[in-house]
Structure formats: C-alpha cells, structure tokens
C-alpha cells in the first residue's frame, strides 16, 4: 500500500468510525449524507477547483483511489489505481494578442472579452489576415448529401459559422458531425486557416459575460499527437459575442438578425463571402503537464460473463481558480462533477456490500473532461481492459439533485436497449424516464460517454429531468444561469440529499440490470451510432 493511500484509507476509516461505522442497511437520508461527505472533500476550497494536472487534482485522484482501495476493488490503472497521461497546456497572453476587422485598408480593433474572445489555438505570436466566408452551421453530413461548404471557396479563408444544425438533420447525426473529431476533419478538408464561431442566443446556457472569462483558463490537449483533439492547422479560433455579431455582416447583403430569424424559423441559412478581412495575433504560453484517470474493477462472479465489463464513468476534474465572482475565485465544482464521482464510490460500495454482479464493473473517474474529454479519450485508446469486452457505459456528469427525483433523463435514450433496463429500474421507484428534450445542444457528445460510443460501446448519459414549463424547469434554468462553471457551484448551494440517494439507488439497480442480464446491451437497429459497433470510425 502506498503511503498516500494508507493515510487516506485511515482517514476514511476514522470518519466512518466517528459516524458510527457504515450503517447497513443505510437509510435514504444517511446514504445521502455519506454521498455528500465525498463532495465535501472533493469540492472544498482546499481542492482549488481540481484543475486538470494540478496538485489538487492529484490529491483528488488519490482520494478516489483510497476509497476504491478501502472497498477492496481491484487496481485497474497502469500505476495502481491511477492511469497517468501526458498533456500539452496553452495559456492565452491577452495583452500580447489582438483582433480586428479590416475593410478597404481601414482597421477596426475589437475589444477582447466584450466583442469577441480568442481561444488558445494557433501559431503563437504569428499575425494572420484573411478574408472571411459565412458557412451557415458549417456542417457536412454525407449520409444526407448535406454540405454547407458546397460552392464556396474556403481554402486560405476564415470560416464564420453559427452554433446549431439544420433542422432536417436528425439529432444523432447532427451531434456526431459537430464532435471535435469530425469538426477537425471538416476544417482540414476545407483548407481554411482559422474560424469564427458565433454562439446561438437560442441555445445559450450561460451569459456571455461569464463565458468570456473562460478565455483565461488553460487549454489542454493530449501530448501524444496520435490522440490530440485540437485543430492543428487552425492559426486562430475566435468566438464572437452574438450581441456584436452584426459587425461581421454589415454591407454583405445579409444581416445577423436575418440569420437568426431563419434559424428560429428552421429555414435554410444562406452562405456567402463577407466583405471584410479578419486580422489576428494570438500569443500563447505553452507548457507540459501530467494528470491521472482513476480506474478500478469490481470482479464479476459468472465464469462466462466475468471477463465482460459494465463501465461506470464520471469526470473528476473541474476548472480550477478563475476571475473573482462576488469576491470568490474558486470554481469548486460540487455538482460538476464531484457529485458524479461520489455516486461512483457509493454505487461501488453498495455492489460490494450486496450480492456480487455476474459481469465485472469497471469504474473510471476521468481527468480532463473540461479540457475536451481528454481522460476518457486516452482511456478509450489506451484501455487497461479489452474495449471489445466493455458491454455498456453509463456516464454521470452533473446529474443535478436539486429537485426531488421524479423524472430521470437519459441522453442517448433512443439509441440502445439500455433504455429498457433503465425503465425496468426506474418504474418500481416511481420515476419517469424521458429522452433528451433539446438534442440541438449536443449534450450526448459533450461528455465522456462519447469516446466509448466511438469504440462501439452502447452508452447512456444519465441525470435528473423535469417536465416542460414546470417549477423544476425554472430551478434548473436558474442553476445554469448562476452556478454552472461558477464559484457558486460550491458546498453552500441547496442540494436534495434524499433525491441524490434515490438517484444512487437507481444507478445501482441499472448497473445490476446491465451486469446480470445474460444478453449484452445492443444499439437499436435504426441508431446512427450502431455503425461504430461494426468498426466504422
């Protein structure tokens, strides 16, 4: 036993002793309290927001490893429970960067932070200037012969695109073709040198003022070039405040107001050259870092099924320390996503204390989710078990127990028969099950499950749901507006611990359904993602 894990295991033992040991069976409220105690550790101010690669993230990883060890789970990392991965980091030096529009030799500087932001992409310190072309949503979907680039000259240009997808493209296809890998391929095929992204007000989750602060965060990518997810040929990446986007379209024959109206009305967007150039200089500070996934296995008992795995995942990292918000700089990440990691631990505990499952259960606390799903990508490409033996993935990311659990939302619900197991688990608990009501937000590809989907693994991203126009919807909207990626996602916020305990029970039952069923979960016949199970990449 490594010294760090010895101390963590001892601390956990003393904590359990102080609370009268681990009650069995646990009441719902005490189960919620036990879940919350993990969050109190992981989301404390001392953890400084668990930035990927930071000492505090390492401390969090050791804590989770210590919990797995206390439960007697099998080590499944490359260094005990840990799987280290190397990263390249980039930080924007905004004082040495600039952005402006140029027309007829006249330059109009843009105010960084207010009108636009530069992302941590490009050739540091190398100025660029090029013509812009509006490419609508910037989508190409070969299956439907849809191509926003058709008839446009894009080589050597700067692409300007609006967040969203054409209404005629089904949600699954739209999500896939907006993923990082597909966006990179599309950008490289276009021959463009940079791109400008305009957030769609209709799809906005958090205010521009708060989103703009993210430009000061350190961006990261996997150091292994074969696994990197960035846009290596992009010389700049710009995000424009939609309130100021009209300046791009002035004198083009079109207006941004027109573009937004067409989007709202679900009508085709025009594509056209813009009558001005973009001039930019991006200055970056680059360094190297290392972070860790945490991986454990609860072995199955069935001789015929034990070498198959049900993968439960949640990301451990958050976004670290940022600009002050009401005097607070620490983005604690209590719900995003200490909550999900705490559930992994508690589900593993319940499985350990009950009858062992027939299949093995693989537990993965990922690093680098906030940096682009880096830890799950690394694990999917450098797995410690055979990926072909992973039969299902249930991922937790910010499941939000901030209202009573009456509705469970399954992102990807219609894609595989995991939905049948979820309904079987939820029904007796009086919990309704609903699919993603807003597929245009692409949530199904925005968390760690997507890297396992790309390896053919049927997956579900599970969280709390609510009915449209309900009081619960208002609670969720307010949470996203005020707490998402903010210091107020902390230990002081209202949380329904009984609802969290009920959710953990649902996760436990679903995991058992997946682990004990003789049949492997399968993609639906009509699912777009079924192609990955057949080996298509």
């Amino acid at each position: 036993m490594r010294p760090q894990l010895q101390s963590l295991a001892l601390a956990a033992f003393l904590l359990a002793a102080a609370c009268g040991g681990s009650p069995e069976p646990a009441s719902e409220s005490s189960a919620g309290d036990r879940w919350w105690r993990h969050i109190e550790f992981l989301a404390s101010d001392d953890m400084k927001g668990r930035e990927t690669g930071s000492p505090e993230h390492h401390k969090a990883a050791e804590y989770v490893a210590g919990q797995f060890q206390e439960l007697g789970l099998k080590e499944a990392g490359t260094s005990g429970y840990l799987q280290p991965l190397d990263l390249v980091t980039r930080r924007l030096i905004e004082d040495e960067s600039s952005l402006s529009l140029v027309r007829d030799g006249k330059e109009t500087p843009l105010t960084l932070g207010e009108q636009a932001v530069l992302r941590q992409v490009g050739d540091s310190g190398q100025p660029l200037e090029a013509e812009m072309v509006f490419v609508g949503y910037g989508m190409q979907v070969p299956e439907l012969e849809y191509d926003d680039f058709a008839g446009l000259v894009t080589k050597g240009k700067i692409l300007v695109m609006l967040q969203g997808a054409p209404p005629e493209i089904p949600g699954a296809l739209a999500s896939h073709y907006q993923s990082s890998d597909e966006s990179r391929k599309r950008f490289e095929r276009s021959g463009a040198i940079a791109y400008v992204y305009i957030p769609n007000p209709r799809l906005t989750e958090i205010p521009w003022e708060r989103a703009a602060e993210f430009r000061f965060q350190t961006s990261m990518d996997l150091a292994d070039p074969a696994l990197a997810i960035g846009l290596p040929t992009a010389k700049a990446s710009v995000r424009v405040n939609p309130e100021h986007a009209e300046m791009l379209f002035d004198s083009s024959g079109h207006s941004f107001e027109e573009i937004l109206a067409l989007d709202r009305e679900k009508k085709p967007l025009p594509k056209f050259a813009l009558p001005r150039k973009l001039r930019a200089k991006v200055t970056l500070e680059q360094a190297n870092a290392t972070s860790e996934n945490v991986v454990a296995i609860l072995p199955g008992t069935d001789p015929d099924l034990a070498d198959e795995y049900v993968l439960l995942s949640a990301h451990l990292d958050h976004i670290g320390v940022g600009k002050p918000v009401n005097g607070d700089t620490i983005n604690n990440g209590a719900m995003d996503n200490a909550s999900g990691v705490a559930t992994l631990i508690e589900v593993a505990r319940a499985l350990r204390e009950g009858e062992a499952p027939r299949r093995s259960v693989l537990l993965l606390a990922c690093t680098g989710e906030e940096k682009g799903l880096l830890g799950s990508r690394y694990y999917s490409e450098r797995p410690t078990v055979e990926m072909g033996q992973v039969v299902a993935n249930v991922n937790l990311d910010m499941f939000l127990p901030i209202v009573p659990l009456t509705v469970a939302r399954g992102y990807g619900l219609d894609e595989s028969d995991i939905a049948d197991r979820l309904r079987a688990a939820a029904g007796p608990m009086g919990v309704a099950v609903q699919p993603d009501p807003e597929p245009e937000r692409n949530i199904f590809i925005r968390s760690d499950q997507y890297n396992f989907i790309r390896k053919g693994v049927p997956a579900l991203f599970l969280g709390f749901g609510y009915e449209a126009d309900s009081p619960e919807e208002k609670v969720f909207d307010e949470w996203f507006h005020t707490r998402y990626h903010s210091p107020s996602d902390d230990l002081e916020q209202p949380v329904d611990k009984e609802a969290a305990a009920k959710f953990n029970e649902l996760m436990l039952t679903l995991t058992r359904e997946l682990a004990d069923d003789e049949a492997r979960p399968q993609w639906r016949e009509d699912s777009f993602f079924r192609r990955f199970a057949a080996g298509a990449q």
Side-chain angles (χ1 to χ4, degrees):
M1 182 185 293
R2 292 187 297 278
Q4 299 98 323
L5 296 184
Q6 284 181 319
S7 61
L8 285 168
L10 177 61
F13 172 80
L14 292 174
L15 178 61
C19 297
S22 297
E24 188 177 335
S27 69
E28 189 173 80
S29 61
S30 62
D33 290 337
R34 191 167 56 196
W35 166 83
W36 182 251
R37 285 200 294 269
H38 301 302
I39 298 171
E40 287 181 317
F41 180 89
L42 295 171
S44 68
D45 281 354
D46 289 343
M47 300 303 287
K48 297 182 180 178
R50 306 186 306 280
E51 173 82 82
T52 299
S54 69
E56 291 77 22
H57 182 281
H58 181 75
K59 184 178 179 182
E62 289 284 8
Y63 174 85
V64 176
Q67 294 296 315
F68 287 165
Q69 185 177 58
E70 181 189 356
L71 292 172
L73 304 183
K74 180 182 175 183
E75 295 177 344
T78 53
S79 178
Y81 292 101
L82 304 183
Q83 183 191 37
L85 50 130
D86 293 329
L87 303 164
V88 175
T89 73
R90 297 181 183 91
R91 185 174 67 87
L92 178 69
I93 311 300
E94 191 169 82
D95 291 345
E96 300 176 23
S97 303
S98 60
L99 187 65
S100 59
L101 297 176
V102 179
R103 185 179 185 192
D104 299 329
K106 182 181 178 181
E107 181 175 12
T108 304
L110 302 184
T111 304
L112 294 177
E114 179 183 342
Q115 295 177 295
V117 297
L118 286 163
R119 309 297 294 276
Q120 300 92 333
V121 173
D123 297 331
S124 182
Q126 299 300 311
L128 71 92
E129 182 176 324
E131 295 174 340
M132 296 184 290
V133 56
F134 181 67
V135 294
Y137 300 109
M139 293 281 288
Q140 291 175 320
V141 183
E143 292 87 343
L144 301 179
E145 298 183 348
Y146 181 93
D147 186 359
D148 275 333
F149 297 84
L152 295 175
V153 177
T154 57
K155 186 174 182 179
K157 303 296 179 67
I158 295 174
L159 307 181
V160 179
M161 63 195 74
L162 177 70
Q163 177 191 8
E168 64 267 32
I169 299 178
L173 268 73
S175 290
H176 171 70
Y177 283 109
Q178 291 177 86
S179 67
S180 296
D181 282 291
E182 293 302 319
S183 295
R184 181 182 64 239
K185 294 173 186 176
R186 190 161 58 246
F187 181 84
E188 292 178 348
R189 286 195 303 266
S190 75
I193 64 170
Y195 64 99
V196 174
Y197 180 82
I198 309 174
N200 192 328
R202 183 173 58 83
L203 303 175
T204 296
E205 292 177 333
I206 58 177
W208 171 267
E209 293 74 18
R210 189 142 51 85
E213 295 298 323
F214 299 163
R215 71 192 189 276
F216 296 115
Q217 295 176 11
T218 301
S219 74
M220 299 186 184
D221 207 342
L222 295 168
D224 185 340
L227 304 182
I229 65 169
L231 295 171
T233 60
K235 298 183 182 298
S237 169
V238 179
R239 186 175 292 246
V240 169
N241 185 343
E243 292 186 4
H244 293 273
E246 201 67 67
M247 60 187 174
L248 301 176
F249 296 86
D250 181 42
S251 302
S252 69
H254 299 275
S255 68
F256 186 56
E257 182 180 354
E258 170 201 349
I259 298 299
L260 290 181
L262 292 170
D263 170 78
R264 287 191 302 269
E265 295 163 8
K266 302 186 182 302
K267 294 180 179 179
L269 302 187
K271 294 89 180 179
F272 49 91
L274 294 167
R276 51 188 41 80
K277 295 180 179 180
L278 186 75
R279 181 179 293 168
K281 185 177 80 166
V282 185
T283 303
L284 304 171
E285 181 180 79
Q286 185 167 304
N288 299 313
T290 300
S291 197
E292 309 92 0
N293 291 326
V294 190
V295 200
I297 292 173
L298 175 63
T301 59
D302 189 302
D304 296 324
L305 299 178
D307 62 349
E308 296 181 348
Y309 301 88
V310 175
L311 169 59
L312 307 183
S313 58
H315 75 87
L316 180 59
D317 63 302
H318 195 51
I319 61 175
V321 177
K323 294 281 186 178
V325 178
N326 297 324
D328 191 354
T329 61
I330 298 174
N331 296 289
N332 303 79
M335 294 298 97
D336 187 14
N337 183 39
S339 63
V341 174
T343 291
L344 288 191
I345 296 169
E346 288 306 304
V347 169
R349 183 191 306 279
L351 288 169
R352 194 67 168 159
E353 291 174 350
E355 183 179 353
R358 298 177 68 194
R359 286 188 177 88
S360 297
V361 176
L362 177 65
L363 299 128
L364 174 63
C366 303
T367 189
E369 189 273 348
E370 301 286 5
K371 306 300 182 182
L373 317 185
L374 300 182
S376 57
R377 182 179 182 87
Y378 188 85
Y379 189 84
S380 71
E381 298 290 345
R382 303 286 186 268
T384 58
V385 303
E386 176 60 47
M387 282 304 298
Q389 295 300 97
V390 178
V391 303
N393 172 221
V394 181
N395 186 52
L396 302 177
D397 185 356
M398 204 170 67
F399 64 85
L400 291 182
I402 54 178
V403 297
L405 179 60
T406 59
V407 180
R409 181 172 295 171
Y411 297 94
L413 187 70
D414 299 327
E415 305 299 332
S416 77
D417 62 11
I418 295 178
D420 301 334
R421 276 85 163 187
L422 176 60
R423 291 189 176 99
M429 298 176 65
V431 176
V433 175
Q434 68 176 195
D436 181 3
E438 298 178 290
E440 284 184 276
R441 294 185 187 275
N442 297 322
I443 291 176
F444 194 44
I445 66 157
R446 285 169 50 189
S447 195
D448 290 308
Q449 71 281 344
Y450 198 64
N451 283 317
F452 302 109
I453 290 169
R454 292 179 63 254
K455 293 297 181 182
V457 178
L460 190 72
F461 177 15
L462 187 61
F464 277 50
Y466 50 80
E467 298 300 332
D469 301 319
S470 65
E472 289 78 14
E473 181 177 22
K474 293 179 180 178
V475 172
F476 273 71
D477 287 347
E478 178 65 16
W479 192 94
F480 274 97
H481 187 79
T482 61
R483 298 188 188 274
Y484 177 58
H485 280 199
S486 168
S488 59
D489 179 14
D490 60 10
L491 300 176
E492 303 302 318
Q493 66 186 300
V495 174
D496 189 333
K497 295 178 187 176
E498 290 190 2
K502 188 175 181 179
F503 182 86
N504 291 353
E505 180 186 349
L506 176 62
M507 270 292 295
L508 171 65
T509 306
L510 175 60
T511 301
R512 286 199 176 279
E513 290 276 349
L514 294 168
D516 292 342
D517 195 325
E518 192 76 27
R520 280 186 170 214
Q522 299 292 325
W523 293 107
R524 303 287 190 197
E525 289 290 337
D526 60 350
S527 172
F528 165 82
F529 301 106
R530 183 180 177 86
R531 68 184 61 193
F532 293 120
Q537 292 292 323

